[in-house]
């Protein structure tokens, strides 16, 4: 079981707004909060978001560079994937691979792929979606 993931972000306010509503929608709760960071927890696993120091902001994040490519979460159902897709669109969040949605991961892989404020790919996959 994964213990935690810590991500440095370019704007803690934007990231907290984005990740807070999404994570709470799928069952996480706010765990910790401090000036430069926040964490959300579900059971024993938590996600931490920390403001990147100004001196390290010269090279922006890109998921195709060495490092984290994306985070994928379990959805409860295909309906939850559809509902989340609508909410993401209403919030102006960029949906990735819109021409293949919701089967961008393959004909048996039902999911929504989207970007966080730093353009990290995030995925919400329905049950039975295995690659």
């Amino acid at each position: 079981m994964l213990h935690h993931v810590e991500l440095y972000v370019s704007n803690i306010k934007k990231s907290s707004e984005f990740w807070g509503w999404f994570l709470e929608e799928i069952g996480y709760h706010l765990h910790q909060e401090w000036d430069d960071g926040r964490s959300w927890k579900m059971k024993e696993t938590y996600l931490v978001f920390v403001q990147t120091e100004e001196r390290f902001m010269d090279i922006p994040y890109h998921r195709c560079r060495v490092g984290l490519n994306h985070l994928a979460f379990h959805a409860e159902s295909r309906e939850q994937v559809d509902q989340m897709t609508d909410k993401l669109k209403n919030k102006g969040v960029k949906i990735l691979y819109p021409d293949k949605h919701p089967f961008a991961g393959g004909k048996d892989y039902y999911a929504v792929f989207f970007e966080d404020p730093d353009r990290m790919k995030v995925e919400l996959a329905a049950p039975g979606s295995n690659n």
Side-chain angles (χ1 to χ4, degrees), residues 40-55:
W40 282 266
K41 186 173 185 176
M42 181 190 283
K43 298 181 183 176
E44 298 302 316
T45 302
Y46 61 98
L47 298 171
V48 182
F49 301 88
V50 180
Q51 175 65 52
T52 300
E53 292 179 33
E54 187 66 36
R55 63 189 173 126

Side-chain angles (χ1 to χ4, degrees), residues 15 33 35 39 53 62 71-72 78 90-91 112 114 124:
S15 290
E33 191 171 12
D35 288 345
S39 70
E53 292 179 33
H62 195 286
L71 291 176
R78 286 185 173 205
N90 288 336
K91 289 182 172 287
V112 58
F114 52 101
L124 183 63

Side-chain angles (χ1 to χ4, degrees), residues 15-48:
S15 290
S16 293
E17 290 170 4
F18 174 87
W19 283 101
W21 75 265
F22 172 72
L23 291 172
E24 289 168 17
E25 285 278 334
I26 61 172
Y28 285 75
H29 66 274
L30 184 63
H31 177 58
Q32 298 168 315
E33 191 171 12
W34 63 99
D35 288 345
D36 293 329
R38 311 279 181 284
S39 70
W40 282 266
K41 186 173 185 176
M42 181 190 283
K43 298 181 183 176
E44 298 302 316
T45 302
Y46 61 98
L47 298 171
V48 182

Side-chain angles (χ1 to χ4, degrees), residues 79-125:
E79 291 77 22
Q80 186 183 29
V81 170
D82 294 339
Q83 291 167 358
M84 184 59 68
T85 301
D86 290 341
K87 289 177 182 182
L88 291 162
K89 287 178 179 178
N90 288 336
K91 289 182 172 287
V93 174
K94 181 177 180 178
I95 304 297
L96 299 173
Y97 326 116
D99 57 325
K100 297 178 183 177
H101 174 77
F103 294 103
K107 67 180 178 76
D108 296 323
Y109 199 89
Y110 199 94
V112 58
F113 297 84
F114 52 101
E115 287 185 335
D116 87 338
D118 286 312
R119 300 197 61 214
M120 182 174 62
K121 183 166 59 173
V122 184
E123 174 184 344
L124 183 63

